[in-house]
Amino acid sequence: MSTVPASPLLKIHRIDKSYGGTQVLKSCSLEVAPKETIVIVGPSGSGKSTLLRCVNLLESVDAGNILFEGRDLTRELKRVHQVRQQIGMVFQNFELFSHLSAIENIMLAPMSVAGVSRLDAHDLALALLNKVHLRERADHYPDQLSGGQQQRVAIARALAMKPKVMLYDEPTSALDPEMVNEVTEVMAELSAEGMTSLVVTHEMGFARRAADRIVFMEAGEVILTESSEQFFSGTTHERARRFLDQILH
């Protein structure tokens, strides 16, 4: 994968974001090609999650542009629901509806947002539960599922709207260590199938296995963009190398 994709699906161009007097994103730029998986790493407070939230229009930008299929999302705020149908997002906490079963959580958006019939939504949800290896848990409620299982249901729920890009905001950070692999395996399978993905994570095993490129952020800036192979085999960027040494040891 080249450092700069020839025809990006998603283009983040020099975006700024501040909360009060604190600037959390500083002229951030990034291009994502179709079917590419990019993992964003960096120390806490570097702006990684805020960057994803801006792409999903959960936060507005102060300056710059976010282009998706050539359309400027920063000018599309009135179409936020349509945009989110095409850009799925999975959060740190699963945010499933506790009164709905796993399959009902997945069926909800296709029925209420996309107007899919209950029968078709049920069939779609079953297929997605199968994809995340949870078909046998279809009728279980969130409190009957482990954290890893809940997060896999959350991934299936995001996939139910058939997005063109998936955003993952530290999807394993709330999980016990033994549950991390079951979630990252599903994410890696989706990437291998060609799902365009932008992932904030500290799981370097997943990053090494699934990422085409690694983006390193610090203090609100994109400091480095390298191929996964180059990053892990010996990045020459001193700050990124120190971060990697701390994470791996």
Side-chain angles (χ1 to χ4, degrees):
M1 188 66 64
S2 61
T3 301
V4 180
S7 53
L9 178 66
L10 179 68
K11 181 176 181 178
I12 301 166
H13 180 66
R14 299 181 65 84
I15 64 170
D16 294 338
K17 177 65 181 178
S18 295
Y19 297 110
T22 303
Q23 190 170 5
V24 293
L25 294 178
K26 305 172 185 176
S27 194
C28 291
S29 295
L30 175 64
E31 296 186 3
V32 186
K35 300 186 178 183
E36 187 176 29
T37 293
I38 292 180
V39 170
I40 304 174
V41 302
S44 296
S46 57
K48 307 182 298 294
S49 294
T50 302
L51 184 65
L52 289 194
R53 291 175 66 85
C54 287
V55 171
N56 197 243
L57 302 184
L58 290 168
E59 303 284 355
S60 60
V61 300
D62 300 329
N65 309 92
I66 300 171
L67 301 176
F68 176 66
E69 296 187 316
R71 299 187 64 165
D72 189 351
L73 298 187
T74 59
R75 306 280 189 270
E76 299 277 327
L77 298 182
K78 292 182 180 179
R79 296 180 61 254
V80 62
H81 294 299
Q82 292 97 314
V83 169
R84 288 185 189 147
Q85 289 181 43
Q86 300 182 74
I87 302 178
M89 189 160 183
V90 176
F91 300 89
Q92 297 178 31
N93 297 312
F94 327 121
E95 300 187 6
L96 299 177
F97 290 108
S98 61
H99 65 290
L100 298 178
S101 65
I103 195 167
E104 289 169 339
N105 265 282
I106 299 167
M107 292 169 61
L108 185 61
M111 291 171 58
S112 61
V113 177
V116 174
S117 72
R118 185 171 187 84
L119 180 61
D120 287 345
H122 185 272
D123 290 345
L124 172 63
L126 269 183
L128 290 171
L129 281 168
N130 191 56
K131 183 179 282 289
V132 299
H133 314 299
L134 282 174
R135 188 183 178 102
E136 74 284 358
R137 297 285 194 272
D139 296 323
H140 287 58
Y141 287 83
D143 64 1
Q144 298 173 308
L145 301 173
S146 70
Q149 290 170 339
Q150 289 185 62
Q151 190 62 295
R152 283 186 280 155
V153 172
I155 291 172
R157 180 180 59 183
L159 291 172
M161 297 306 292
K162 301 180 180 178
K164 295 179 180 178
V165 178
M166 282 285 282
L167 310 177
Y168 300 92
D169 184 12
E170 299 197 28
T172 61
S173 64
L175 300 179
D176 292 333
E178 64 269 21
M179 297 177 187
V180 169
N181 282 346
E182 66 189 57
V183 173
T184 57
E185 282 296 328
V186 166
M187 294 165 58
E189 288 169 9
L190 292 171
S191 291
E193 292 170 4
M195 173 59 72
T196 307
S197 304
L198 199 52
V199 186
V200 171
T201 186
H202 286 98
E203 296 300 325
M204 293 299 105
F206 166 80
R208 190 192 297 264
R209 182 170 75 256
D212 295 296
R213 288 187 293 147
I214 306 293
V215 170
F216 179 74
M217 291 185 68
E218 185 175 46
E221 296 183 85
V222 173
I223 302 296
L224 174 72
T225 304
E226 285 186 333
S227 70
S228 177
E229 181 181 3
Q230 183 177 1
F231 184 80
F232 286 107
S233 65
T235 178
T236 58
H237 193 283
E238 181 182 351
R239 179 63 185 93
R241 192 168 61 246
R242 281 192 283 118
F243 170 81
L244 195 54
D245 288 344
Q246 290 172 347
I247 290 288
L248 296 178
H249 298 100

